Amino acid sequence: QVQLVESGGGLVQPGGSLRLSCAASGNSGSITSIGVMGWYRQAPGKQREWVASIFSTGFTTYTDSVKGRFTVSRDNAGNLMNLQMNNLEPEDTAVYYCRVSLTTGDTYRGQGTQVTVSS
């Protein structure tokens, strides 16, 4: 069992920056079994979309719309993931969710944090 808590959302003007964090907790076996951590977002009236992922190897991947603006990272302990978001656009407004997939195949998702980009 893994619990995920996102933080760092808020209101920012276009062109601004925010840093989201996702803290994972649970038994040590589950934490070390995290294979990939990722960010998803859901805007009002739209389907949830994948934003970025970071694998246990350190490999990262991004959806095209955020490449060059967002950076995903993970601490050495493997239980804290960050998403640095720069040059934010109104289209980035959404609830951002953290998700982890264990090597067992189990997946967990956090409650989400609201990001609003508006002048």
Side-chain angles (χ1 to χ4, degrees):
Q1 189 79 6
V2 175
Q3 294 79 42
L4 302 172
V5 178
E6 302 97 334
S7 61
L11 173 64
V12 64
Q13 293 186 344
S17 298
L18 281 175
R19 185 178 179 86
L20 304 183
S21 294
C22 171
S25 61
N27 63 65
S28 59
S30 293
I31 298 299
T32 57
S33 296
I34 293 176
V36 57
M37 301 182 77
W39 290 98
Y40 292 73
R41 65 187 180 185
Q42 187 165 18
K46 294 186 177 182
Q47 289 188 331
R48 187 171 302 159
E49 67 168 340
W50 166 73
V51 175
S53 294
I54 182 165
F55 293 79
S56 57
T57 58
F59 177 78
T60 59
T61 184
Y62 304 89
T63 193
D64 286 345
S65 63
V66 308
K67 285 180 180 177
R69 300 189 297 123
F70 291 11
T71 302
V72 62
S73 61
R74 185 175 169 183
D75 73 334
N76 290 333
N79 59 358
L80 181 66
M81 176 177 63
N82 296 309
L83 184 67
Q84 178 67 40
M85 305 187 295
N86 298 328
N87 194 20
L88 283 161
E89 304 169 352
E91 293 74 22
D92 296 316
T93 295
V95 177
Y96 284 70
Y97 299 90
C98 167
R99 176 177 173 179
V100 300
S101 298
L102 306 188
T103 54
T104 59
D106 296 326
T107 61
Y108 300 89
R109 194 193 80 189
Q111 293 299 309
T113 185
Q114 176 70 46
V115 171
T116 302
V117 184
S118 175
S119 55

